Tab-separated table of all heavy atoms in Angstrom:
chain	number	residue	atom	x	y	z
A	291	MET	N	49.825	25.668	-6.336
A	291	MET	CA	50.668	26.680	-5.750
A	291	MET	C	49.796	27.557	-4.852
A	291	MET	O	48.686	27.929	-5.217
A	291	MET	CB	51.327	27.512	-6.834
A	291	MET	CG	52.207	28.601	-6.293
A	291	MET	SD	53.044	29.461	-7.625
A	291	MET	CE	54.486	29.955	-6.765
A	292	TYR	N	50.306	27.854	-3.685
A	292	TYR	CA	49.625	28.711	-2.724
A	292	TYR	C	50.559	29.870	-2.383
A	292	TYR	O	51.778	29.710	-2.401
A	292	TYR	CB	49.310	27.955	-1.422
A	292	TYR	CG	48.397	26.782	-1.602
A	292	TYR	CD1	48.892	25.527	-1.911
A	292	TYR	CD2	47.027	26.936	-1.442
A	292	TYR	CE1	48.048	24.445	-2.075
A	292	TYR	CE2	46.174	25.851	-1.596
A	292	TYR	CZ	46.701	24.614	-1.911
A	292	TYR	OH	45.853	23.538	-2.061
A	293	SER	N	49.983	31.015	-2.030
A	293	SER	CA	50.776	32.180	-1.661
A	293	SER	C	49.958	33.094	-0.761
A	293	SER	O	48.739	33.149	-0.868
A	293	SER	CB	51.191	32.945	-2.920
A	293	SER	OG	51.902	34.114	-2.577
A	294	THR	N	50.656	33.812	0.120
A	294	THR	CA	49.981	34.859	0.871
A	294	THR	C	49.744	36.021	-0.089
A	294	THR	O	50.448	36.143	-1.100
A	294	THR	CB	50.846	35.329	2.061
A	294	THR	OG1	52.121	35.746	1.564
A	294	THR	CG2	51.020	34.237	3.102
A	295	PRO	N	48.767	36.884	0.196
A	295	PRO	CA	48.481	37.996	-0.712
A	295	PRO	C	49.704	38.882	-1.004
A	295	PRO	O	49.868	39.366	-2.114
A	295	PRO	CB	47.389	38.789	0.015
A	295	PRO	CG	46.697	37.757	0.849
A	295	PRO	CD	47.796	36.823	1.292
A	296	ASP	N	50.583	39.052	-0.018
A	296	ASP	CA	51.755	39.903	-0.231
A	296	ASP	C	52.944	39.136	-0.815
A	296	ASP	O	53.989	39.717	-1.073
A	296	ASP	CB	52.160	40.600	1.069
A	296	ASP	CG	52.663	39.641	2.141
A	296	ASP	OD1	52.724	38.412	1.899
A	296	ASP	OD2	52.991	40.124	3.235
A	297	GLY	N	52.798	37.833	-1.016
A	297	GLY	CA	53.862	37.035	-1.611
A	297	GLY	C	55.002	36.688	-0.672
A	297	GLY	O	56.014	36.133	-1.092
A	298	SER	N	54.852	36.970	0.619
A	298	SER	CA	55.935	36.702	1.560
A	298	SER	C	56.129	35.206	1.836
A	298	SER	O	57.201	34.784	2.245
A	298	SER	CB	55.715	37.447	2.875
A	298	SER	OG	54.542	36.980	3.518
A	299	LYS	N	55.085	34.411	1.611
A	299	LYS	CA	55.174	32.954	1.760
A	299	LYS	C	54.537	32.305	0.549
A	299	LYS	O	53.478	32.734	0.092
A	299	LYS	CB	54.438	32.460	3.003
A	299	LYS	CG	55.080	32.800	4.302
A	299	LYS	CD	54.312	32.159	5.444
A	299	LYS	CE	54.942	32.507	6.777
A	299	LYS	NZ	54.258	31.855	7.880
A	300	THR	N	55.187	31.270	0.049
A	300	THR	CA	54.601	30.486	-1.041
A	300	THR	C	54.816	29.012	-0.767
A	300	THR	O	55.735	28.615	-0.058
A	300	THR	CB	55.227	30.825	-2.414
A	300	THR	OG1	56.613	30.537	-2.373
A	300	THR	CG2	55.004	32.274	-2.790
A	301	LEU	N	53.955	28.202	-1.317
A	301	LEU	CA	54.050	26.753	-1.218
A	301	LEU	C	53.706	26.202	-2.591
A	301	LEU	O	52.664	26.510	-3.143
A	301	LEU	CB	53.069	26.212	-0.175
A	301	LEU	CG	52.920	24.697	-0.088
A	301	LEU	CD1	54.218	24.036	0.356
A	301	LEU	CD2	51.784	24.333	0.854
A	302	THR	N	54.606	25.408	-3.147
A	302	THR	CA	54.380	24.792	-4.445
A	302	THR	C	54.554	23.291	-4.293
A	302	THR	O	55.499	22.831	-3.659
A	302	THR	CB	55.397	25.310	-5.486
A	302	THR	OG1	55.309	26.724	-5.539
A	302	THR	CG2	55.128	24.730	-6.851
A	303	ALA	N	53.634	22.534	-4.861
A	303	ALA	CA	53.714	21.076	-4.806
A	303	ALA	C	53.235	20.524	-6.138
A	303	ALA	O	52.472	21.177	-6.852
A	303	ALA	CB	52.846	20.541	-3.674
A	304	SER	N	53.692	19.333	-6.478
A	304	SER	CA	53.229	18.721	-7.722
A	304	SER	C	53.079	17.217	-7.536
A	304	SER	O	53.649	16.631	-6.634
A	304	SER	CB	54.197	19.017	-8.866
A	304	SER	OG	55.406	18.313	-8.692
A	305	LEU	N	52.312	16.631	-8.408
A	305	LEU	CA	52.055	15.201	-8.392
A	305	LEU	C	52.117	14.699	-9.822
A	305	LEU	O	51.497	15.279	-10.708
A	305	LEU	CB	50.661	14.916	-7.810
A	305	LEU	CG	50.163	13.476	-7.854
A	305	LEU	CD1	51.006	12.602	-6.939
A	305	LEU	CD2	48.701	13.419	-7.445
A	306	THR	N	52.879	13.653	-10.039
A	306	THR	CA	52.936	13.038	-11.356
A	306	THR	C	51.747	12.106	-11.483
A	306	THR	O	51.498	11.287	-10.607
A	306	THR	CB	54.253	12.257	-11.534
A	306	THR	OG1	55.333	13.163	-11.340
A	306	THR	CG2	54.343	11.618	-12.894
A	307	HIS	N	51.005	12.252	-12.559
A	307	HIS	CA	49.802	11.454	-12.782
A	307	HIS	C	50.149	9.983	-12.999
A	307	HIS	O	51.072	9.650	-13.739
A	307	HIS	CB	49.047	11.987	-13.996
A	307	HIS	CG	47.851	11.172	-14.357
A	307	HIS	ND1	46.704	11.170	-13.599
A	307	HIS	CD2	47.632	10.322	-15.379
A	307	HIS	CE1	45.821	10.354	-14.146
A	307	HIS	NE2	46.367	9.835	-15.235
A	308	VAL	N	49.397	9.113	-12.342
A	308	VAL	CA	49.522	7.663	-12.527
A	308	VAL	C	48.209	7.175	-13.104
A	308	VAL	O	47.144	7.479	-12.571
A	308	VAL	CB	49.815	6.950	-11.190
A	308	VAL	CG1	49.867	5.448	-11.380
A	308	VAL	CG2	51.101	7.466	-10.591
A	309	ASP	N	48.276	6.460	-14.200
A	309	ASP	CA	47.065	6.018	-14.893
A	309	ASP	C	46.370	4.849	-14.202
A	309	ASP	O	45.223	4.558	-14.475
A	309	ASP	CB	47.433	5.601	-16.316
A	309	ASP	CG	46.516	6.212	-17.352
A	309	ASP	OD1	45.648	7.010	-16.981
A	309	ASP	OD2	46.681	5.879	-18.528
A	310	ASP	N	47.042	4.172	-13.310
A	310	ASP	CA	46.498	3.008	-12.619
A	310	ASP	C	45.885	3.449	-11.290
A	310	ASP	O	46.596	3.910	-10.398
A	310	ASP	CB	47.623	2.000	-12.384
A	310	ASP	CG	47.146	0.711	-11.742
A	310	ASP	OD1	46.018	0.672	-11.212
A	310	ASP	OD2	47.914	-0.262	-11.773
A	311	ALA	N	44.588	3.331	-11.150
A	311	ALA	CA	43.894	3.782	-9.934
A	311	ALA	C	44.440	3.117	-8.673
A	311	ALA	O	44.478	3.736	-7.612
A	311	ALA	CB	42.401	3.526	-10.062
A	312	ALA	N	44.878	1.877	-8.778
A	312	ALA	CA	45.410	1.165	-7.619
A	312	ALA	C	46.740	1.756	-7.157
A	312	ALA	O	47.138	1.574	-6.013
A	312	ALA	CB	45.588	-0.315	-7.942
A	313	MET	N	47.427	2.465	-8.026
A	313	MET	CA	48.733	3.043	-7.702
A	313	MET	C	48.654	4.557	-7.463
A	313	MET	O	49.661	5.197	-7.175
A	313	MET	CB	49.723	2.773	-8.839
A	313	MET	CG	50.034	1.314	-9.034
A	313	MET	SD	51.123	1.027	-10.452
A	313	MET	CE	52.569	1.920	-9.966
A	314	SER	N	47.475	5.134	-7.572
A	314	SER	CA	47.316	6.579	-7.463
A	314	SER	C	47.693	7.089	-6.074
A	314	SER	O	47.317	6.500	-5.061
A	314	SER	CB	45.873	6.974	-7.766
A	314	SER	OG	45.715	8.363	-7.573
A	315	LEU	N	48.407	8.190	-6.056
A	315	LEU	CA	48.774	8.840	-4.800
A	315	LEU	C	47.955	10.103	-4.568
A	315	LEU	O	48.261	10.894	-3.696
A	315	LEU	CB	50.265	9.198	-4.822
A	315	LEU	CG	51.223	8.024	-4.896
A	315	LEU	CD1	52.651	8.529	-5.041
A	315	LEU	CD2	51.102	7.169	-3.653
A	316	ALA	N	46.906	10.288	-5.351
A	316	ALA	CA	46.123	11.524	-5.284
A	316	ALA	C	45.580	11.798	-3.879
A	316	ALA	O	45.686	12.923	-3.385
A	316	ALA	CB	44.983	11.488	-6.293
A	317	GLU	N	45.012	10.817	-3.235
A	317	GLU	CA	44.450	11.035	-1.896
A	317	GLU	C	45.546	11.362	-0.890
A	317	GLU	O	45.410	12.293	-0.091
A	317	GLU	CB	43.660	9.811	-1.436
A	317	GLU	CG	42.982	10.030	-0.104
A	317	GLU	CD	42.147	8.833	0.344
A	317	GLU	OE1	41.903	7.925	-0.469
A	317	GLU	OE2	41.745	8.836	1.507
A	318	THR	N	46.647	10.635	-0.943
A	318	THR	CA	47.771	10.887	-0.047
A	318	THR	C	48.351	12.269	-0.297
A	318	THR	O	48.656	13.016	0.636
A	318	THR	CB	48.859	9.815	-0.242
A	318	THR	OG1	48.286	8.538	0.009
A	318	THR	CG2	50.032	10.036	0.681
A	319	PHE	N	48.488	12.639	-1.563
A	319	PHE	CA	49.000	13.953	-1.934
A	319	PHE	C	48.088	15.059	-1.409
A	319	PHE	O	48.542	16.056	-0.863
A	319	PHE	CB	49.115	14.046	-3.457
A	319	PHE	CG	49.601	15.375	-3.950
A	319	PHE	CD1	50.951	15.689	-3.913
A	319	PHE	CD2	48.719	16.306	-4.453
A	319	PHE	CE1	51.406	16.909	-4.365
A	319	PHE	CE2	49.161	17.529	-4.913
A	319	PHE	CZ	50.510	17.839	-4.866
A	320	GLN	N	46.788	14.869	-1.551
A	320	GLN	CA	45.814	15.854	-1.088
A	320	GLN	C	45.927	16.061	0.427
A	320	GLN	O	45.919	17.193	0.913
A	320	GLN	CB	44.417	15.380	-1.467
A	320	GLN	CG	43.337	16.406	-1.309
A	320	GLN	CD	42.028	15.885	-1.857
A	320	GLN	OE1	41.526	14.864	-1.385
A	320	GLN	NE2	41.488	16.562	-2.846
A	321	LYS	N	46.057	14.993	1.171
A	321	LYS	CA	46.194	15.086	2.626
A	321	LYS	C	47.499	15.779	3.014
A	321	LYS	O	47.517	16.610	3.918
A	321	LYS	CB	46.115	13.700	3.258
A	321	LYS	CG	44.724	13.110	3.228
A	321	LYS	CD	44.712	11.720	3.825
A	321	LYS	CE	43.330	11.109	3.759
A	321	LYS	NZ	43.314	9.758	4.327
A	322	ALA	N	48.585	15.435	2.332
A	322	ALA	CA	49.873	16.066	2.619
A	322	ALA	C	49.828	17.558	2.300
A	322	ALA	O	50.378	18.379	3.044
A	322	ALA	CB	50.980	15.378	1.831
A	323	THR	N	49.183	17.922	1.214
A	323	THR	CA	49.057	19.330	0.837
A	323	THR	C	48.287	20.102	1.904
A	323	THR	O	48.692	21.195	2.313
A	323	THR	CB	48.359	19.473	-0.532
A	323	THR	OG1	49.136	18.786	-1.516
A	323	THR	CG2	48.218	20.927	-0.934
A	324	GLN	N	47.197	19.550	2.389
A	324	GLN	CA	46.411	20.203	3.438
A	324	GLN	C	47.261	20.409	4.692
A	324	GLN	O	47.207	21.458	5.326
A	324	GLN	CB	45.175	19.376	3.777
A	324	GLN	CG	44.144	19.376	2.688
A	324	GLN	CD	43.013	18.399	2.966
A	324	GLN	OE1	43.065	17.615	3.907
A	324	GLN	NE2	41.993	18.449	2.139
A	325	ARG	N	48.047	19.405	5.032
A	325	ARG	CA	48.898	19.496	6.220
A	325	ARG	C	49.940	20.597	6.049
A	325	ARG	O	50.163	21.402	6.950
A	325	ARG	CB	49.572	18.149	6.457
A	325	ARG	CG	50.435	18.126	7.669
A	325	ARG	CD	51.011	16.755	7.887
A	325	ARG	NE	51.885	16.795	9.045
A	325	ARG	CZ	52.671	15.822	9.394
A	325	ARG	NH1	52.696	14.713	8.702
A	325	ARG	NH2	53.436	15.940	10.446
A	326	LEU	N	50.565	20.661	4.879
A	326	LEU	CA	51.561	21.695	4.616
A	326	LEU	C	50.959	23.089	4.650
A	326	LEU	O	51.547	24.016	5.201
A	326	LEU	CB	52.233	21.448	3.260
A	326	LEU	CG	53.247	20.323	3.227
A	326	LEU	CD1	53.610	19.994	1.780
A	326	LEU	CD2	54.484	20.696	4.026
A	327	VAL	N	49.782	23.258	4.066
A	327	VAL	CA	49.123	24.562	4.063
A	327	VAL	C	48.867	25.017	5.501
A	327	VAL	O	49.133	26.170	5.857
A	327	VAL	CB	47.814	24.529	3.243
A	327	VAL	CG1	46.960	25.765	3.508
A	327	VAL	CG2	48.127	24.405	1.759
A	328	LYS	N	48.382	24.123	6.338
A	328	LYS	CA	48.122	24.479	7.737
A	328	LYS	C	49.399	24.896	8.451
A	328	LYS	O	49.422	25.877	9.180
A	328	LYS	CB	47.476	23.309	8.477
A	328	LYS	CG	46.038	23.082	8.105
A	328	LYS	CD	45.479	21.879	8.845
A	328	LYS	CE	44.058	21.575	8.396
A	328	LYS	NZ	43.539	20.376	9.081
A	329	GLU	N	50.480	24.144	8.220
A	329	GLU	CA	51.729	24.442	8.914
A	329	GLU	C	52.395	25.707	8.387
A	329	GLU	O	52.874	26.532	9.165
A	329	GLU	CB	52.682	23.251	8.798
A	329	GLU	CG	52.219	22.068	9.614
A	329	GLU	CD	53.167	20.883	9.569
A	329	GLU	OE1	54.351	21.077	9.237
A	329	GLU	OE2	52.716	19.765	9.857
A	330	VAL	N	52.413	25.891	7.075
A	330	VAL	CA	53.100	27.034	6.475
A	330	VAL	C	52.325	28.330	6.666
A	330	VAL	O	52.886	29.356	7.033
A	330	VAL	CB	53.373	26.779	4.975
A	330	VAL	CG1	53.866	28.032	4.270
A	330	VAL	CG2	54.370	25.639	4.786
A	331	PHE	N	51.024	28.306	6.421
A	331	PHE	CA	50.253	29.541	6.406
A	331	PHE	C	49.532	29.856	7.707
A	331	PHE	O	49.184	31.003	7.956
A	331	PHE	CB	49.261	29.532	5.246
A	331	PHE	CG	49.959	29.513	3.917
A	331	PHE	CD1	50.046	28.351	3.184
A	331	PHE	CD2	50.565	30.657	3.422
A	331	PHE	CE1	50.708	28.325	1.968
A	331	PHE	CE2	51.233	30.641	2.212
A	331	PHE	CZ	51.306	29.481	1.483
A	332	TYR	N	49.282	28.866	8.530
A	332	TYR	CA	48.575	29.118	9.779
A	332	TYR	C	49.445	28.905	11.003
A	332	TYR	O	48.998	29.105	12.115
A	332	TYR	CB	47.312	28.240	9.866
A	332	TYR	CG	46.327	28.556	8.769
A	332	TYR	CD1	46.226	27.745	7.654
A	332	TYR	CD2	45.517	29.684	8.838
A	332	TYR	CE1	45.334	28.044	6.627
A	332	TYR	CE2	44.624	29.991	7.823
A	332	TYR	CZ	44.553	29.166	6.723
A	332	TYR	OH	43.681	29.466	5.713
A	333	GLY	N	50.680	28.446	10.799
A	333	GLY	CA	51.613	28.277	11.898
A	333	GLY	C	51.207	27.217	12.892
A	333	GLY	O	51.653	27.217	14.024
A	334	ARG	N	50.346	26.297	12.457
A	334	ARG	CA	49.874	25.244	13.360
A	334	ARG	C	50.567	23.941	13.015
A	334	ARG	O	50.778	23.622	11.854
A	334	ARG	CB	48.372	25.012	13.201
A	334	ARG	CG	47.537	26.182	13.563
A	334	ARG	CD	46.093	25.810	13.643
A	334	ARG	NE	45.600	25.152	12.438
A	334	ARG	CZ	44.405	25.331	11.937
A	334	ARG	NH1	43.563	26.141	12.530
A	334	ARG	NH2	44.018	24.699	10.862
A	335	GLN	N	50.880	23.189	14.036
A	335	GLN	CA	51.364	21.833	13.821
A	335	GLN	C	50.148	21.014	13.434
A	335	GLN	O	49.215	20.870	14.206
A	335	GLN	CB	52.006	21.270	15.095
A	335	GLN	CG	52.596	19.902	14.928
A	335	GLN	CD	53.829	19.903	14.037
A	335	GLN	OE1	54.547	20.888	13.972
A	335	GLN	NE2	54.067	18.823	13.348
A	336	ALA	N	50.112	20.521	12.229
A	336	ALA	CA	48.958	19.772	11.738
A	336	ALA	C	49.017	18.339	12.236
A	336	ALA	O	50.077	17.815	12.557
A	336	ALA	CB	48.922	19.789	10.221
A	337	GLU	N	47.853	17.703	12.268
A	337	GLU	CA	47.778	16.298	12.625
A	337	GLU	C	48.465	15.475	11.532
A	337	GLU	O	48.794	15.985	10.486
A	337	GLU	CB	46.321	15.859	12.792
A	337	GLU	CG	45.494	15.928	11.539
A	337	GLU	CD	44.889	17.303	11.273
A	337	GLU	OE1	45.147	18.248	12.026
A	337	GLU	OE2	44.166	17.404	10.266
A	338	SER	N	48.666	14.207	11.780
A	338	SER	CA	49.327	13.369	10.789
A	338	SER	C	48.504	13.337	9.499
A	338	SER	O	47.309	13.574	9.506
A	338	SER	CB	49.489	11.940	11.326
A	338	SER	OG	48.241	11.293	11.334
A	339	ALA	N	49.161	13.034	8.402
A	339	ALA	CA	48.475	12.996	7.096
A	339	ALA	C	47.340	11.997	7.115
A	339	ALA	O	46.323	12.192	6.444
A	339	ALA	CB	49.480	12.657	5.994
A	340	ASP	N	47.456	10.921	7.880
A	340	ASP	CA	46.401	9.915	7.954
A	340	ASP	C	45.133	10.463	8.606
A	340	ASP	O	44.036	10.040	8.277
A	340	ASP	CB	46.848	8.681	8.736
A	340	ASP	CG	47.923	7.906	8.005
A	340	ASP	OD1	47.979	7.994	6.754
A	340	ASP	OD2	48.710	7.209	8.671
A	341	ALA	N	45.293	11.423	9.500
A	341	ALA	CA	44.148	11.956	10.226
A	341	ALA	C	43.619	13.244	9.607
A	341	ALA	O	42.644	13.804	10.089
A	341	ALA	CB	44.520	12.207	11.691
A	342	ALA	N	44.250	13.716	8.545
A	342	ALA	CA	43.821	14.975	7.920
A	342	ALA	C	42.427	14.836	7.360
A	342	ALA	O	42.054	13.790	6.836
A	342	ALA	CB	44.795	15.370	6.815
A	343	GLU	N	41.664	15.910	7.452
A	343	GLU	CA	40.302	15.871	6.922
A	343	GLU	C	40.339	15.991	5.397
A	343	GLU	O	41.214	16.633	4.841
A	343	GLU	CB	39.476	16.990	7.541
A	343	GLU	CG	40.103	18.344	7.351
A	343	GLU	CD	39.510	19.395	8.258
A	343	GLU	OE1	39.443	19.165	9.458
A	343	GLU	OE2	39.146	20.449	7.724
A	344	PRO	N	39.418	15.356	4.699
A	344	PRO	CA	39.426	15.409	3.240
A	344	PRO	C	39.087	16.797	2.719
A	344	PRO	O	38.390	17.568	3.373
A	344	PRO	CB	38.341	14.404	2.832
A	344	PRO	CG	37.519	14.185	4.042
A	344	PRO	CD	38.362	14.547	5.236
A	345	ALA	N	39.583	17.114	1.528
A	345	ALA	CA	39.315	18.416	0.909
A	345	ALA	C	37.873	18.488	0.466
A	345	ALA	O	37.268	17.482	0.108
A	345	ALA	CB	40.239	18.627	-0.284
A	346	GLN	N	37.335	19.654	0.447
A	346	GLN	CA	35.963	19.884	-0.005
A	346	GLN	C	35.957	20.281	-1.447
A	346	GLN	O	36.734	20.953	-1.942
A	346	GLN	CB	35.316	20.979	0.834
A	346	GLN	CG	35.218	20.602	2.287
A	346	GLN	CD	34.306	19.416	2.550
A	346	GLN	OE1	33.243	19.292	1.952
A	346	GLN	NE2	34.710	18.527	3.417
C-alpha cells in the first residue's frame, strides 16, 4: 500500500502467492506496481511494464 503524506492519494495492490517458481507472477507484479506508482503519484505516463526498471 502506498499513500501521499496527507492521504489524498492511495494505491493498494496485492498478489496471491504461487508456490511454483515457474508460475510466479512476482516479477510482473513488481513491474506493474512500479508503473502504477509513477502514474498515480508522479503524474507521468510510465513506460510499458516490460520496459520498467527493476526494483532496488
Side-chain angles (χ1 to χ4, degrees):
M291 179 176 209
Y292 298 88
S293 177
T294 56
D296 66 1
S298 64
K299 289 185 181 183
T300 61
L301 172 64
T302 304
S304 70
L305 174 67
T306 302
H307 176 72
V308 177
D309 228 4
D310 183 345
M313 295 176 62
S314 176
L315 296 175
E317 184 178 348
T318 302
F319 178 79
Q320 192 174 60
K321 288 178 182 180
T323 300
Q324 290 172 352
R325 182 177 178 189
L326 285 168
V327 166
K328 287 178 184 178
E329 290 182 20
V330 170
F331 296 103
Y332 297 101
R334 297 191 307 217
Q335 183 69 29
E337 64 275 3
S338 73
D340 292 334
E343 55 195 52
Q346 298 295 319

